[in-house]
Each structure stands twice: as C-alpha cells, then as structure tokens.
Amino acid sequence: MKKEYDFSGMKAVRNPYAAALKKQITIRLNSSTIDYFKNMAKDVGIPYQTLIDSYLTDCALCKRKLTMRWK
C-alpha cells in the first residue's frame, strides 16, 4: 500500500442503504424483560439490543397484532 493516497479527484456518493439505517430511541422496558433478552442473547451470542430489534422487526414484517385481555 502507498503511504499517501490522493482522494481530491473523487466524487461524493450517497449511501444507498441510508434509508435502512437504524434510529436511536429511548424506550422503557421492565427489568425482567431486559434480563430475559440479555440471557437469551448470551445463549445466541449476539448483543441483547440486536436481539430485541430482531424480535420487533419480525413482528413488524409479519404484521403481528397484540391481543390483550384484562382480568
């Protein structure tokens, strides 16, 4: 490799995947829910936030609806 490269002649290119980038938000979750995903993430070998994102993405893609019944 060269010690120096000249990038002055290069043109900027937009990121074609920019629309698919993740957005940081703040969300409140129960401690037991976080512990559940942290333990599952250790078993799978991925970060727990990635695991939660995967679950939520799957729900959105499959258009799952939550059914709740109050007792």
Side-chain angles (χ1 to χ4, degrees):
M1 290 180 74
K2 295 181 182 180
K3 288 185 179 181
E4 290 186 28
Y5 289 91
D6 181 17
F7 295 106
S8 61
M10 296 192 67
K11 295 181 182 178
V13 178
R14 288 184 174 231
N15 182 348
Y17 305 104
L21 294 177
K22 295 179 182 181
K23 182 177 180 179
Q24 183 175 348
I25 64 163
T26 301
I27 185 171
R28 294 179 184 270
L29 300 173
N30 292 324
S31 295
S32 59
T33 301
I34 296 169
D35 292 340
Y36 172 81
F37 279 99
K38 281 185 176 182
N39 288 329
M40 188 185 300
K42 284 180 189 174
D43 294 340
V44 178
I46 61 174
Y48 77 97
Q49 291 175 334
T50 302
L51 184 60
I52 293 171
D53 178 60
S54 296
Y55 266 72
L56 294 175
T57 300
D58 182 62
C59 288
L61 291 174
C62 295
K63 299 189 187 305
R64 294 199 169 117
K65 302 284 184 188
L66 179 64
T67 304
M68 293 184 72
R69 294 188 186 133
W70 300 96
K71 293 182 180 184

Coordinates of all heavy atoms in Angstrom, one line a residue:
M1 N 0.8 -1.2 0.0 CA 0.0 0.0 0.0 C 0.9 1.2 0.0 O 1.9 1.3 0.6 CB -0.9 0.0 1.2 CG -2.0 -1.0 1.2 SD -3.0 -1.0 2.7 CE -4.0 0.5 2.4
K2 N 0.3 2.3 -0.6 CA 1.1 3.5 -0.6 C 0.9 4.2 0.8 O 0.0 4.0 1.5 CB 0.5 4.5 -1.7 CG 0.7 4.0 -3.1 CD 0.1 5.0 -4.0 CE 0.2 4.5 -5.4 NZ -0.4 5.5 -6.4
K3 N 1.9 5.0 1.1 CA 1.8 5.8 2.3 C 0.8 6.9 2.3 O 0.1 7.2 3.2 CB 3.2 6.4 2.7 CG 4.2 5.3 3.1 CD 5.5 6.0 3.6 CE 6.4 4.9 4.0 NZ 7.7 5.5 4.5
E4 N 0.6 7.4 1.1 CA -0.4 8.5 0.9 C -1.2 8.2 -0.3 O -0.7 7.7 -1.3 CB 0.3 9.9 0.7 CG 1.0 10.4 2.0 CD 1.5 11.8 1.8 OE1 1.0 12.5 1.0 OE2 2.5 12.1 2.5
Y5 N -2.5 8.6 -0.3 CA -3.4 8.5 -1.4 C -4.0 9.8 -1.6 O -4.2 10.6 -0.7 CB -4.5 7.4 -1.1 CG -4.0 6.0 -1.0 CD1 -3.6 5.4 0.1 CD2 -4.0 5.3 -2.2 CE1 -3.1 4.1 0.2 CE2 -3.6 3.9 -2.2 CZ -3.1 3.4 -1.0 OH -2.7 2.1 -1.0
D6 N -4.3 10.1 -2.9 CA -4.9 11.4 -3.3 C -6.4 11.1 -3.6 O -6.7 10.5 -4.6 CB -4.2 11.9 -4.5 CG -4.7 13.3 -5.0 OD1 -5.4 13.9 -4.2 OD2 -4.4 13.7 -6.1
F7 N -7.2 11.6 -2.7 CA -8.7 11.5 -2.9 C -9.3 12.7 -3.4 O -10.5 12.8 -3.5 CB -9.3 11.1 -1.6 CG -8.9 9.7 -1.1 CD1 -8.0 9.6 0.0 CD2 -9.4 8.5 -1.7 CE1 -7.6 8.3 0.4 CE2 -9.0 7.3 -1.3 CZ -8.1 7.2 -0.2
S8 N -8.5 13.7 -3.8 CA -9.1 15.0 -4.2 C -9.9 14.9 -5.5 O -10.8 15.7 -5.7 CB -7.9 16.0 -4.4 OG -7.1 15.6 -5.5
G9 N -9.7 14.0 -6.3 CA -10.5 13.8 -7.6 C -11.7 13.0 -7.4 O -12.5 12.8 -8.4
M10 N -12.0 12.5 -6.2 CA -13.1 11.6 -6.0 C -14.4 12.4 -5.8 O -14.4 13.5 -5.2 CB -12.9 10.7 -4.9 CG -11.7 9.7 -5.1 SD -11.6 8.4 -3.9 CE -13.1 7.5 -4.3
K11 N -15.5 11.9 -6.2 CA -16.8 12.5 -6.0 C -17.5 11.8 -4.9 O -17.4 10.6 -4.6 CB -17.7 12.3 -7.3 CG -17.2 13.1 -8.5 CD -18.1 12.9 -9.7 CE -17.6 13.6 -10.9 NZ -18.4 13.4 -12.1
A12 N -18.3 12.6 -4.1 CA -19.1 12.0 -3.0 C -20.2 11.2 -3.6 O -20.8 11.5 -4.6 CB -19.6 13.1 -2.2
V13 N -20.5 10.1 -2.9 CA -21.6 9.2 -3.3 C -22.5 9.0 -2.1 O -22.0 8.7 -1.0 CB -21.0 7.8 -3.7 CG1 -22.1 6.8 -4.1 CG2 -20.0 8.0 -4.9
R14 N -23.8 9.1 -2.3 CA -24.7 8.9 -1.2 C -24.8 7.4 -0.8 O -24.6 6.5 -1.7 CB -26.1 9.3 -1.6 CG -26.3 10.8 -1.7 CD -27.7 11.2 -2.0 NE -27.8 12.6 -1.9 CZ -28.7 13.3 -1.2 NH1 -29.6 12.6 -0.6 NH2 -28.8 14.6 -1.2
N15 N -25.0 7.2 0.4 CA -25.1 5.8 0.9 C -26.5 5.2 0.5 O -27.5 5.7 0.8 CB -25.1 5.8 2.5 CG -25.2 4.4 3.1 OD1 -25.5 3.5 2.4 ND2 -24.9 4.3 4.3
P16 N -26.5 4.2 -0.4 CA -27.7 3.6 -0.9 C -28.5 2.9 0.2 O -29.7 2.6 0.0 CB -27.3 2.6 -1.9 CG -25.9 2.2 -1.6 CD -25.3 3.5 -0.9
Y17 N -27.9 2.6 1.3 CA -28.6 1.9 2.4 C -29.0 2.9 3.5 O -29.5 2.4 4.6 CB -27.6 0.8 3.0 CG -27.1 -0.1 2.0 CD1 -25.8 0.0 1.5 CD2 -28.0 -1.1 1.4 CE1 -25.4 -0.9 0.5 CE2 -27.5 -2.0 0.5 CZ -26.3 -1.9 0.0 OH -25.8 -2.7 -1.0
A18 N -28.9 4.2 3.3 CA -29.2 5.1 4.4 C -30.7 5.0 4.9 O -30.9 5.2 6.1 CB -29.0 6.5 3.8
A19 N -31.6 4.6 4.0 CA -33.0 4.5 4.4 C -33.2 3.3 5.4 O -34.1 3.3 6.2 CB -33.9 4.3 3.2
A20 N -32.3 2.4 5.3 CA -32.4 1.2 6.2 C -31.6 1.3 7.5 O -31.6 0.4 8.3 CB -32.0 0.0 5.4
L21 N -31.0 2.4 7.7 CA -30.2 2.6 8.9 C -31.1 2.6 10.1 O -32.2 3.1 10.1 CB -29.3 3.8 8.8 CG -28.2 3.8 7.8 CD1 -27.5 5.2 7.7 CD2 -27.2 2.7 8.0
K22 N -30.5 2.3 11.2 CA -31.3 2.2 12.5 C -31.4 3.6 13.1 O -30.5 4.4 12.9 CB -30.7 1.2 13.5 CG -30.8 -0.2 12.9 CD -30.2 -1.1 13.9 CE -30.3 -2.5 13.3 NZ -29.7 -3.5 14.2
K23 N -32.4 3.9 13.9 CA -32.6 5.2 14.5 C -32.6 4.9 16.0 O -33.2 4.0 16.5 CB -33.9 5.8 14.1 CG -34.2 7.1 14.7 CD -35.5 7.6 14.2 CE -35.8 9.0 14.8 NZ -37.1 9.5 14.3
Q24 N -31.8 5.7 16.7 CA -31.7 5.6 18.2 C -32.9 6.2 18.9 O -33.3 7.3 18.5 CB -30.4 6.2 18.7 CG -30.2 6.0 20.2 CD -28.9 6.6 20.6 OE1 -28.0 6.9 19.9 NE2 -28.7 6.7 21.9
I25 N -33.5 5.5 19.8 CA -34.7 6.0 20.5 C -34.5 5.6 22.0 O -33.6 4.9 22.4 CB -36.0 5.4 20.0 CG1 -36.1 3.9 20.3 CG2 -36.3 5.8 18.6 CD1 -37.5 3.3 20.2
T26 N -35.4 6.2 22.8 CA -35.4 5.8 24.2 C -36.7 5.1 24.5 O -37.8 5.5 24.0 CB -35.4 7.0 25.1 OG1 -34.1 7.8 24.9 CG2 -35.4 6.7 26.6
I27 N -36.6 3.9 25.1 CA -37.8 3.1 25.4 C -37.7 2.5 26.8 O -36.6 2.2 27.3 CB -37.9 2.0 24.3 CG1 -39.2 1.2 24.5 CG2 -36.7 1.1 24.3 CD1 -39.5 0.2 23.4
R28 N -38.8 2.5 27.5 CA -38.8 2.0 28.9 C -39.3 0.5 28.8 O -40.4 0.2 28.3 CB -39.8 2.8 29.7 CG -39.3 4.2 29.9 CD -40.3 5.0 30.8 NE -39.9 6.4 30.9 CZ -39.1 6.8 31.9 NH1 -38.6 6.0 32.8 NH2 -38.8 8.1 31.9
L29 N -38.5 -0.3 29.4 CA -38.8 -1.8 29.4 C -38.7 -2.2 30.9 O -37.9 -1.7 31.7 CB -37.8 -2.6 28.6 CG -37.8 -2.2 27.1 CD1 -36.6 -3.0 26.4 CD2 -39.1 -2.6 26.4
N30 N -39.5 -3.2 31.2 CA -39.4 -3.8 32.5 C -38.0 -4.5 32.7 O -37.5 -5.0 31.8 CB -40.5 -4.9 32.7 CG -41.8 -4.3 32.8 OD1 -42.0 -3.2 33.3 ND2 -42.8 -5.0 32.2
S31 N -37.5 -4.4 33.9 CA -36.2 -5.1 34.2 C -36.2 -6.5 33.9 O -35.2 -7.1 33.4 CB -35.8 -4.9 35.7 OG -35.6 -3.5 36.0
S32 N -37.3 -7.2 34.2 CA -37.4 -8.6 33.9 C -37.4 -8.9 32.4 O -36.8 -9.9 32.0 CB -38.7 -9.3 34.6 OG -39.8 -8.6 34.0
T33 N -37.9 -8.0 31.6 CA -37.9 -8.2 30.2 C -36.5 -8.0 29.7 O -36.0 -8.8 28.8 CB -38.8 -7.2 29.5 OG1 -40.1 -7.3 30.0 CG2 -38.8 -7.3 28.0
I34 N -35.8 -7.1 30.2 CA -34.4 -6.8 29.8 C -33.5 -8.0 30.2 O -32.7 -8.5 29.4 CB -33.8 -5.5 30.4 CG1 -34.6 -4.3 29.8 CG2 -32.3 -5.4 30.1 CD1 -34.3 -3.0 30.6
D35 N -33.7 -8.5 31.4 CA -33.0 -9.7 31.8 C -33.2 -10.9 31.0 O -32.3 -11.7 30.6 CB -33.3 -10.0 33.3 CG -32.8 -9.0 34.3 OD1 -31.9 -8.2 33.9 OD2 -33.3 -9.0 35.4
Y36 N -34.5 -11.1 30.6 CA -34.9 -12.2 29.7 C -34.1 -12.1 28.4 O -33.5 -13.1 27.9 CB -36.4 -12.2 29.4 CG -36.9 -13.1 28.4 CD1 -37.1 -14.5 28.7 CD2 -37.1 -12.7 27.1 CE1 -37.5 -15.4 27.7 CE2 -37.5 -13.6 26.1 CZ -37.7 -14.9 26.4 OH -38.1 -15.8 25.5
F37 N -34.1 -11.0 27.8 CA -33.4 -10.8 26.5 C -31.9 -10.9 26.6 O -31.2 -11.4 25.8 CB -33.8 -9.5 25.8 CG -35.1 -9.7 25.0 CD1 -36.3 -9.2 25.6 CD2 -35.2 -10.3 23.8 CE1 -37.5 -9.3 24.9 CE2 -36.4 -10.4 23.1 CZ -37.6 -10.0 23.7
K38 N -31.3 -10.4 27.7 CA -29.9 -10.5 28.0 C -29.5 -11.9 28.1 O -28.4 -12.3 27.5 CB -29.5 -9.7 29.3 CG -29.4 -8.2 29.0 CD -28.9 -7.5 30.3 CE -28.7 -6.0 30.0 NZ -28.2 -5.3 31.2
N39 N -30.3 -12.7 28.8 CA -29.9 -14.1 29.0 C -30.0 -14.9 27.7 O -29.2 -15.7 27.3 CB -30.8 -14.8 30.0 CG -30.5 -14.4 31.4 OD1 -29.3 -14.1 31.7 ND2 -31.5 -14.3 32.3
M40 N -31.1 -14.6 26.9 CA -31.3 -15.2 25.6 C -30.1 -14.8 24.6 O -29.6 -15.6 23.9 CB -32.6 -14.9 25.0 CG -32.9 -15.6 23.7 SD -34.4 -15.1 22.9 CE -35.7 -15.4 24.1
A41 N -29.7 -13.5 24.7 CA -28.7 -13.0 23.9 C -27.3 -13.7 24.2 O -26.6 -14.0 23.2 CB -28.5 -11.5 24.0
K42 N -27.1 -14.0 25.4 CA -25.9 -14.8 25.8 C -25.9 -16.2 25.1 O -24.8 -16.6 24.6 CB -25.7 -14.9 27.3 CG -25.3 -13.7 28.0 CD -25.2 -13.9 29.5 CE -25.0 -12.7 30.3 NZ -25.1 -12.9 31.7
D43 N -27.0 -16.8 25.2 CA -27.1 -18.2 24.6 C -26.9 -18.1 23.1 O -26.3 -19.0 22.5 CB -28.5 -18.8 24.9 CG -28.7 -19.0 26.4 OD1 -27.7 -19.1 27.1 OD2 -29.9 -19.2 26.8
V44 N -27.4 -17.1 22.4 CA -27.4 -17.0 21.0 C -26.0 -16.4 20.6 O -25.5 -16.7 19.5 CB -28.5 -16.1 20.4 CG1 -28.4 -15.9 19.0 CG2 -29.9 -16.7 20.8
G45 N -25.4 -15.5 21.4 CA -24.1 -14.9 21.1 C -24.2 -13.6 20.4 O -23.3 -13.3 19.6
I46 N -25.3 -12.9 20.6 CA -25.4 -11.6 20.0 C -25.8 -10.6 21.1 O -26.3 -10.9 22.1 CB -26.5 -11.5 18.8 CG1 -27.9 -11.9 19.4 CG2 -26.1 -12.4 17.7 CD1 -29.0 -11.7 18.3
P47 N -25.6 -9.3 20.8 CA -26.0 -8.3 21.8 C -27.5 -8.3 22.0 O -28.3 -8.5 21.1 CB -25.6 -6.9 21.2 CG -24.5 -7.3 20.2 CD -24.9 -8.6 19.7
Y48 N -27.9 -8.0 23.3 CA -29.3 -8.1 23.6 C -30.2 -7.1 22.9 O -31.3 -7.3 22.5 CB -29.6 -8.0 25.1 CG -29.5 -6.6 25.7 CD1 -30.6 -5.9 26.0 CD2 -28.2 -6.1 26.1 CE1 -30.5 -4.6 26.5 CE2 -28.1 -4.8 26.6 CZ -29.3 -4.1 26.9 OH -29.2 -2.9 27.4
Q49 N -29.6 -5.9 22.6 CA -30.3 -4.9 21.9 C -30.6 -5.3 20.4 O -31.6 -5.0 19.8 CB -29.6 -3.5 21.9 CG -29.6 -2.9 23.3 CD -28.8 -1.7 23.3 OE1 -27.8 -1.5 22.6 NE2 -29.1 -0.8 24.3
T50 N -29.6 -6.0 19.8 CA -29.8 -6.6 18.5 C -30.9 -7.6 18.5 O -31.7 -7.7 17.6 CB -28.5 -7.2 18.0 OG1 -27.5 -6.2 18.0 CG2 -28.6 -7.8 16.6
L51 N -31.0 -8.4 19.6 CA -32.0 -9.5 19.7 C -33.4 -8.8 19.8 O -34.3 -9.3 19.2 CB -31.7 -10.4 20.9 CG -32.6 -11.5 21.1 CD1 -32.6 -12.5 19.9 CD2 -32.2 -12.3 22.4
I52 N -33.5 -7.8 20.6 CA -34.8 -7.1 20.8 C -35.2 -6.5 19.5 O -36.4 -6.6 19.0 CB -34.7 -6.1 21.9 CG1 -34.5 -6.7 23.3 CG2 -36.0 -5.2 21.9 CD1 -34.2 -5.8 24.4
D53 N -34.3 -5.9 18.8 CA -34.6 -5.3 17.4 C -35.0 -6.4 16.5 O -36.0 -6.2 15.7 CB -33.3 -4.6 16.9 CG -33.6 -4.0 15.5 OD1 -34.5 -3.2 15.4 OD2 -32.9 -4.4 14.6
S54 N -34.4 -7.6 16.5 CA -34.8 -8.7 15.6 C -36.2 -9.1 15.9 O -37.0 -9.3 15.0 CB -33.9 -9.9 15.8 OG -32.6 -9.5 15.4
Y55 N -36.6 -9.2 17.2 CA -37.9 -9.6 17.5 C -39.0 -8.6 17.0 O -40.0 -8.9 16.5 CB -38.1 -9.8 19.1 CG -37.9 -11.2 19.5 CD1 -36.6 -11.7 19.5 CD2 -38.9 -11.9 20.0 CE1 -36.4 -13.0 20.0 CE2 -38.7 -13.2 20.4 CZ -37.5 -13.8 20.4 OH -37.3 -15.1 20.8
L56 N -38.7 -7.3 17.3 CA -39.6 -6.2 16.9 C -39.7 -6.1 15.4 O -40.8 -5.9 14.8 CB -39.2 -4.9 17.5 CG -39.3 -4.8 19.0 CD1 -38.7 -3.5 19.5 CD2 -40.7 -5.0 19.5
T57 N -38.6 -6.3 14.7 CA -38.6 -6.3 13.2 C -39.4 -7.4 12.7 O -40.2 -7.2 11.7 CB -37.1 -6.3 12.7 OG1 -36.4 -5.2 13.2 CG2 -37.1 -6.4 11.2
D58 N -39.3 -8.6 13.3 CA -40.1 -9.7 12.8 C -41.6 -9.5 13.0 O -42.4 -9.8 12.1 CB -39.7 -11.0 13.6 CG -40.4 -12.2 13.2 OD1 -40.3 -12.6 12.0 OD2 -41.2 -12.8 14.0
C59 N -41.9 -8.9 14.2 CA -43.3 -8.5 14.4 C -43.9 -7.5 13.4 O -45.0 -7.7 12.9 CB -43.5 -7.9 15.8 SG -43.3 -9.1 17.1
A60 N -43.0 -6.5 13.0 CA -43.5 -5.5 12.1 C -43.6 -6.1 10.7 O -44.6 -5.9 9.9 CB -42.5 -4.4 12.0
L61 N -42.6 -7.0 10.3 CA -42.7 -7.6 8.9 C -43.9 -8.5 8.8 O -44.5 -8.6 7.7 CB -41.4 -8.3 8.6 CG -40.2 -7.4 8.4 CD1 -38.9 -8.3 8.3 CD2 -40.3 -6.5 7.2
C62 N -44.2 -9.3 9.8 CA -45.3 -10.2 9.8 C -46.6 -9.6 10.1 O -47.7 -10.2 10.2 CB -45.0 -11.4 10.8 SG -43.6 -12.4 10.3
K63 N -46.6 -8.3 10.4 CA -47.8 -7.5 10.8 C -48.6 -8.2 11.9 O -49.8 -8.3 11.9 CB -48.7 -7.3 9.6 CG -48.0 -6.5 8.5 CD -48.9 -6.1 7.4 CE -48.3 -5.5 6.2 NZ -47.4 -4.4 6.4
R64 N -47.8 -8.6 13.0 CA -48.4 -9.2 14.1 C -49.2 -8.2 14.9 O -48.8 -7.0 15.1 CB -47.4 -9.9 15.0 CG -46.7 -11.0 14.3 CD -46.0 -11.9 15.3 NE -45.7 -13.1 14.5 CZ -44.4 -13.5 14.3 NH1 -43.4 -12.8 14.9 NH2 -44.2 -14.5 13.5
K65 N -50.4 -8.6 15.4 CA -51.2 -7.8 16.3 C -51.2 -8.3 17.7 O -51.3 -9.5 17.9 CB -52.7 -7.7 15.7 CG -52.8 -7.3 14.3 CD -52.7 -5.8 14.2 CE -52.9 -5.4 12.8 NZ -52.6 -4.0 12.6
L66 N -51.1 -7.4 18.6 CA -51.1 -7.8 20.0 C -52.5 -8.0 20.5 O -53.4 -7.2 20.3 CB -50.4 -6.8 20.9 CG -50.4 -7.0 22.4 CD1 -49.5 -8.3 22.7 CD2 -49.8 -5.8 23.1
T67 N -52.8 -9.2 21.1 CA -54.1 -9.4 21.7 C -54.0 -9.4 23.2 O -53.2 -10.2 23.8 CB -54.7 -10.8 21.3 OG1 -54.7 -10.8 19.9 CG2 -56.0 -11.0 21.8
M68 N -54.7 -8.5 23.9 CA -54.6 -8.3 25.3 C -55.9 -8.5 25.9 O -56.9 -8.0 25.4 CB -54.0 -7.0 25.7 CG -52.5 -6.8 25.3 SD -51.9 -5.3 25.9 CE -51.7 -5.6 27.6
R69 N -56.0 -9.2 27.0 CA -57.2 -9.4 27.8 C -57.0 -9.0 29.2 O -56.1 -9.6 29.9 CB -57.7 -10.9 27.7 CG -58.1 -11.3 26.3 CD -58.7 -12.6 26.3 NE -59.0 -13.0 24.9 CZ -58.7 -14.2 24.4 NH1 -58.2 -15.1 25.1 NH2 -58.9 -14.4 23.1
W70 N -57.7 -8.0 29.7 CA -57.5 -7.6 31.0 C -58.4 -8.4 32.0 O -59.6 -8.7 31.7 CB -57.9 -6.1 31.2 CG -57.1 -5.2 30.3 CD1 -57.4 -4.8 29.0 CD2 -55.7 -4.8 30.6 NE1 -56.3 -4.0 28.6 CE2 -55.3 -4.0 29.5 CE3 -54.9 -4.9 31.7 CZ2 -54.1 -3.4 29.4 CZ3 -53.6 -4.3 31.6 CH2 -53.2 -3.6 30.5
K71 N -57.9 -8.8 33.1 CA -58.6 -9.7 34.0 C -59.3 -8.8 35.1 O -58.9 -7.8 35.5 CB -57.7 -10.7 34.7 CG -57.2 -11.7 33.7 CD -56.4 -12.7 34.4 CE -55.9 -13.8 33.4 NZ -55.1 -14.8 34.0

